[in-house]
Each structure stands twice: as C-alpha cells, then as structure tokens.
Amino acid sequence: DAGITQSPRYKITETGRQVTLMCHQTWSHSYMFWYRQDLGHGLRLIYYSAAADITDKGEVPDGYVVSRSKTENFPLTLESATRSQTSVYFCASSESSSSSYEQYFGPGTRLTVT
Amino acid sequence: KNQVEQSPQSLIILEGKNCTLQCNYTVSPFSNLRWYKQDTGRGPVSLTIMTFSENTKSNGRYTATLDADTKQSSLHITASQLSDSASYICVVSAPRGGYNKLIFGAGTRLAVHP
C-alpha cells in the first residue's frame, strides 16, 4: 500500500523557471491539500481540492497553480519560481473535510530556488 | 500573531526522562486539537486528536491534555526513547466555510540524548 507519495523529493531550480511538484495517493481520498513549511512557521495551506476538478485557494496561493483531473493526483505548479518560494512542500489527503477525519501527509519535497 | 503558539522552541532531554510540551491557542471556535510528530525529512504523523469536551487522550507513552477554558494543551512524553527525537506540532482544527482548516503551530524540536 503506497499511501501518499510526492516527487521529486528534492529539486533545485532557477528564478523564473516553471516547476511542477507531483502528489499521488492510492486511497481514493476525496480531499487533497498542498502546504508549505518554512523555518519558524507552522505549515501553511496553499491550495486544496474537494474532488476531481474542484479546487480552492488556501492561505498563501499567490504564485501557485493547481489542477486535479484525476482523484489520485494533485500537482502543484510554480509558474515562475521566486526565491521566496524556497521551502518544503507537503501534500496531504483526507477522506472528508469533517473535523474528525485525519489528514495523511506525504514525505515532502524540498525545493530550492536560486 | 500566531494563533497557535508552542513552547519551548527546542528541548534536549536524556533518554528515559519525561518531558512536557506546551501549546496555547487563540483559535475560536475550534473543532478539535491535534498533536503531530514529524521526524526529520518526513511528513507529520498524527499522535492524538481531542475535541473540546475531552480533557486527556493517550497514545502509548504520549499523553495529551486539553483545557478549553484557558485554551491550553500539553503533550507529555513518558520514559523518552531515542526515537522520540522529532518535532512535535500542535494543530487546531477550525470550521472555515466549506472545510475544516488546520492551523499549525511552529513546533517544538525535541532531542533525546543517550
């Protein structure tokens, strides 16, 4: 049971480049989330998706684009990377938006923008 | 100002000793309070979930307490092991529109030394 996976695990890119981070889950969870984690800060929500073709902004969506054509995949694209987007990115999934349901996190992608 | 504040930022203890981590929050209303463990280079993993009506919840050597009146929670680790070395994150779940938003603290980094 693979669970939730992210790729790549590490990425170095240059300012202005487009980069896509991949997230795949095998549980058929309806909800998927993208967070970023920066030193000294808690995880912050970038975008989330309630189902295929349904996405919505989180706390810090500027500079990011998401899509969800299939339930199991939720890619995050940085259209023109900036140094401030250097961070660790976590994807998560959940069966439901109900508060009693767990969010399960992937292993993270460490992105460095030079 | 962060809505979820954790203390201390970091802590070093000797193997076999107990420790207590603190979390103060200002989020209102809230659905539940969670404690996550995050190993280095991994995604967060849930330890406990408590609703506002629960005072304590245990998971093995981990015991979480919640005082909804004072908006404080603590995570007590008993008989620490080297494998307890990790960041511990306090998370408050709050209803926001169509989903339950997770509001993350910055975490307490625990190092257990032999």
Side-chain angles (χ1 to χ4, degrees):
Chain A
D1 185 355
I4 183 164
T5 57
Q6 294 183 235
S7 61
R9 293 295 314 278
Y10 303 91
K11 177 74 177 178
I12 299 175
T13 191
E14 294 176 342
T15 301
R17 298 262 191 183
Q18 177 176 289
V19 60
T20 296
L21 310 183
M22 304 302 293
C23 178
H24 176 79
Q25 51 106 355
T26 59
W27 295 306
S28 298
H29 284 171
S30 297
Y31 281 78
M32 296 188 74
F33 308 84
W34 274 107
Y35 294 91
R36 59 178 290 171
Q37 185 176 40
D38 302 296
L39 201 61
H41 292 274
L43 275 76
R44 290 179 290 174
L45 183 66
I46 304 171
Y47 269 96
Y48 71 100
S49 167
D53 297 322
I54 301 175
T55 63
D56 207 348
K57 296 178 181 179
E59 216 179 321
V60 288
D62 293 343
Y64 303 95
V65 174
V66 293
S67 62
R68 193 160 176 215
S69 56
K70 292 184 178 181
T71 300
E72 61 266 29
N73 296 325
F74 191 37
L76 176 74
T77 298
L78 289 68
E79 294 194 300
S80 178
T82 65
R83 289 196 181 90
S84 64
Q85 293 177 310
T86 292
S87 187
V88 182
Y89 291 85
F90 288 97
C91 178
S93 72
S94 179
E95 278 187 78
S96 166
S97 65
S98 168
S99 63
S100 59
Y101 281 80
E102 284 284 2
Q103 281 192 24
Y104 297 92
F105 289 82
T109 294
R110 183 175 292 276
L111 176 67
T112 302
V113 183
T114 62
Chain B
K1 187 183 187 308
N2 288 341
Q3 298 180 74
V4 180
E5 298 274 0
Q6 293 187 243
S7 62
Q9 280 190 320
S10 61
L11 182 63
I12 299 173
I13 62 173
L14 293 177
E15 187 179 12
K17 297 296 186 184
N18 303 334
C19 68
T20 300
L21 314 180
Q22 300 291 342
C23 174
N24 295 333
Y25 62 94
T26 59
V27 179
S28 181
F30 82 101
S31 302
N32 55 53
L33 186 144
R34 310 167 182 216
W35 282 93
Y36 282 82
K37 179 186 180 187
Q38 185 177 19
D39 292 312
T40 301
R42 308 289 290 272
V45 175
S46 179
L47 292 174
T48 62
I49 299 178
M50 290 183 291
T51 66
F52 63 86
S53 61
E54 294 179 288
N55 298 120
T56 186
K57 179 107 20 124
S58 291
N59 178 358
R61 294 179 297 102
Y62 300 101
T63 300
T65 64
L66 173 62
D67 186 334
D69 292 330
T70 62
K71 294 186 168 55
Q72 295 179 326
S73 178
S74 65
L75 181 69
H76 185 76
I77 304 174
T78 304
S80 61
Q81 300 176 358
L82 298 178
S83 59
D84 292 331
S85 295
S87 286
Y88 292 85
I89 305 173
C90 177
V91 184
V92 176
S93 172
R96 291 287 187 273
Y99 77 107
N100 270 279
K101 177 180 180 179
L102 298 187
I103 302 166
F104 291 77
T108 292
R109 186 178 296 274
L110 174 66
V112 180
H113 288 183

